[in-house]
């Protein structure tokens, strides 16, 4: 663990109103963790607002409190700010201004690449940020009701691939069991997250996967979409899950999915067994976990970004073989 839970506990006790910021392109972990934290703090008599620079994807709108998440321009911007599930300030997007204007800040995260950018930090490499939020709630003595349990359970399910990823530990499963005992609905959340996709998303995935490329004797897989290719199917959020499908190809160790966003290209990386894609992402000023990471290429085409991603993936495979 970097930083300490004690720092965050003091931070909470010494302040009365908090802006809780989730990262760009929000996923279930940042949304579920942020909304759970908000509910926990409100139980203690604190005021909160949840902020994200991007809209909540349809897939996560069922999470209690997701409907209250504000865009940065709608937020009040309290003097105390907490970044949740953000490895660096860049992950705050246009909400970074709220963070910078705050009188005091905190950073609660689980990425090993975290830059410890806040006044108060806790970074623990758990399976999901939700595990830290759960332990924080317990340490604060706050009641965790069924809705809060559902927020946290949704975060756990999404960040662990329904407990299938290598980041899952005994503690992860123990917390999941406690959340179910508190009222989290495992069956409902799994259905809504993994078995409830709009037709446009299915078609977008089919379009991207039909054009996948394999390199290094099938050990590297890529797929890419421009904005014009995504537009007929639905929003950018529909791309979630494509990179995991690439990784699931039997021969693949490293998967890269690339999507255009304006003049930039977002690159999502996944590894299966031994490659460290966080190391790959860090080389392009990105970050993440050893088996799940990402970065952004600025001012180049998707095709150009793919060439770079493949070269980096090949170098990572060579490094792994030498090790």
């Amino acid at each position: 663990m970097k930083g300490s839970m004690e720092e965050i506990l003091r931070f909470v006790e010494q302040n009365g109103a908090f802006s809780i910021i989730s990262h760009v392109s929000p996923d279930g972990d940042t949304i579920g963790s942020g909304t759970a934290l908000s509910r926990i703090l409100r139980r203690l008599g604190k005021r909160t607002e949840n902020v994200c620079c991007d809209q909540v994807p349809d897939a996560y709108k069922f999470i209690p409190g997701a409907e209250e998440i504000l865009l940065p321009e709608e937020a009040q911007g309290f003097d105390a700010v907490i970044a949740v599930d953000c490895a660096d300030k860049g992950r705050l997007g246009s909400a970074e201004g709220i963070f910078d204007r705050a009188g005091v800040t905190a950073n609660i995260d689980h990425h090993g690449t975290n830059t410890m950018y806040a006044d108060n930090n806790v970074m623990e490499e758990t399976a999901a940020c939700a595990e830290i939020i759960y332990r924080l709630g317990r340490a604060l003595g706050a009641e965790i009701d069924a809705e809060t349990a559902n927020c946290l359970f949704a975060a756990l399910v999404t960040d662990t691939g329904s407990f299938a990823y290598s980041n899952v530990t005994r503690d992860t499963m123990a917390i999941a069991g406690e959340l179910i005992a508190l009222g989290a609905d495992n069956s409902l959340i799994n259905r809504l997250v993994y078995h409830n996709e709009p037709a446009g998303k299915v078609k977008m995935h089919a379009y991207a996967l039909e054009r996948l490329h394999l390199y290094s004797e099938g050990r590297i897989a890529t797929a890419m979409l421009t904005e014009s290719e995504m537009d007929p199917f639905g929003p950018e959020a529909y791309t979630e899950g494509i990179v995991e499908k690439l990784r699931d190809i039997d021969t693949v160790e490293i998967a890269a999915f690339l999507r255009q966003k304006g003049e930039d290209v977002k690159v999502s990386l996944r590894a299966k067994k031994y490659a460290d894609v966080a190391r790959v992402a860090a080389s392009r000023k990105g970050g993440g976990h050893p088996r799940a990471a990402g970065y952004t290429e600025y001012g180049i085409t998707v095709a150009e970004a793919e060439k770079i991603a493949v070269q980096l993936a090949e170098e990572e495979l060579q490094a792994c073989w030498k090790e």
Side-chain angles (χ1 to χ4, degrees):
M1 177 188 292
K2 296 180 183 178
S4 69
M5 187 69 78
E6 287 71 27
E7 285 184 53
I8 305 300
L9 291 171
R10 285 195 300 270
F11 169 79
V12 169
E13 291 167 357
Q14 292 169 2
N15 293 278
F18 303 84
S19 295
I20 300 168
I21 304 178
S22 292
H23 62 65
V24 297
S25 302
D27 57 14
D29 192 14
T30 195
I31 295 168
S33 295
T35 54
L37 178 58
S38 185
R39 294 178 61 85
I40 287 167
L41 295 179
R42 289 177 185 178
R43 287 278 181 179
L44 299 172
K46 313 287 186 177
R47 289 186 297 152
T48 68
E49 63 178 6
N50 289 82
V51 186
C52 184
C53 69
D54 292 321
Q55 298 283 355
V56 175
D58 289 344
Y60 303 126
K61 287 182 177 177
F62 73 91
I63 295 176
E67 73 283 356
E68 297 179 9
I69 296 177
L70 305 171
L71 294 172
E73 58 268 26
E74 301 169 331
Q76 181 173 335
F78 292 123
D79 193 54
V81 173
I82 307 173
V84 175
D85 197 31
C86 301
D88 57 73
K89 280 212 300 180
R91 293 288 285 161
L92 304 177
S94 60
E96 187 174 336
I98 294 173
F99 190 91
D100 289 340
R101 290 190 296 272
V104 62
T105 60
N107 154 37
I108 301 174
D109 186 44
H110 67 136
H111 297 93
T113 56
N114 192 286
T115 59
M116 309 299 280
Y117 52 91
D119 300 319
N120 304 275
N121 302 275
V122 60
M123 191 294 296
E124 185 176 352
E125 291 190 67
T126 57
C129 194
E131 294 180 53
I132 306 171
I133 301 298
Y134 175 79
R135 287 195 289 272
L136 175 62
R138 287 301 195 198
L140 288 167
E143 178 189 356
I144 296 179
D145 60 13
E147 286 198 336
T148 306
N150 274 316
C151 293
L152 292 168
F153 197 83
L156 282 178
V157 164
T158 54
D159 223 48
T160 63
S162 194
F163 307 101
Y165 296 163
S166 60
N167 60 351
V168 174
T169 66
R170 181 173 64 180
D171 288 343
T172 308
M173 300 306 289
I175 289 173
E178 291 175 24
L179 292 172
I180 289 174
L182 290 166
D185 191 329
N186 172 40
S187 177
L188 175 66
I189 290 171
N190 268 281
R191 177 171 61 81
L192 292 175
V193 172
Y194 292 110
H195 307 291
N196 189 46
E197 296 184 336
K201 181 176 180 179
V202 175
K203 291 179 180 179
M204 184 187 289
H205 283 215
Y207 182 90
L209 294 170
E210 186 179 2
R211 291 157 180 79
L212 72 87
H213 297 99
L214 294 171
Y215 301 93
S216 294
E217 299 180 335
R219 288 185 286 270
I220 299 169
T222 70
M224 46 192 169
L225 289 172
T226 64
E227 287 183 315
S228 62
E229 289 173 327
M230 288 185 277
D231 284 344
F233 302 112
E236 179 192 2
Y238 282 6
T239 62
E240 185 173 4
I242 292 176
V243 70
E244 284 82 9
K245 289 185 173 71
L246 295 172
R247 180 206 55 210
D248 291 346
I249 297 170
D250 58 357
T251 61
V252 168
E253 174 58 27
I254 297 178
F257 172 66
L258 306 93
R259 66 189 188 279
Q260 180 190 18
K261 191 166 186 178
E263 297 181 354
D264 305 326
V265 179
K266 302 289 185 179
V267 184
S268 297
L269 301 170
R270 297 292 184 272
K272 187 176 291 178
K273 296 179 182 177
Y274 54 84
D276 185 346
V277 290
R279 184 161 58 184
V280 174
S283 73
R284 306 302 289 178
K285 297 183 179 180
H289 303 290
R291 304 293 178 263
Y295 63 92
T296 301
E297 295 285 5
Y298 299 96
I300 64 174
T301 67
V302 177
E304 290 169 334
E306 189 211 23
K307 291 180 181 178
I308 295 170
V310 171
Q311 180 181 345
L312 293 171
E314 289 174 340
E315 291 172 356
E316 172 60 23
L317 290 180
Q318 290 172 2
C320 290
W321 295 331
K322 290 178 181 177
E323 292 170 357

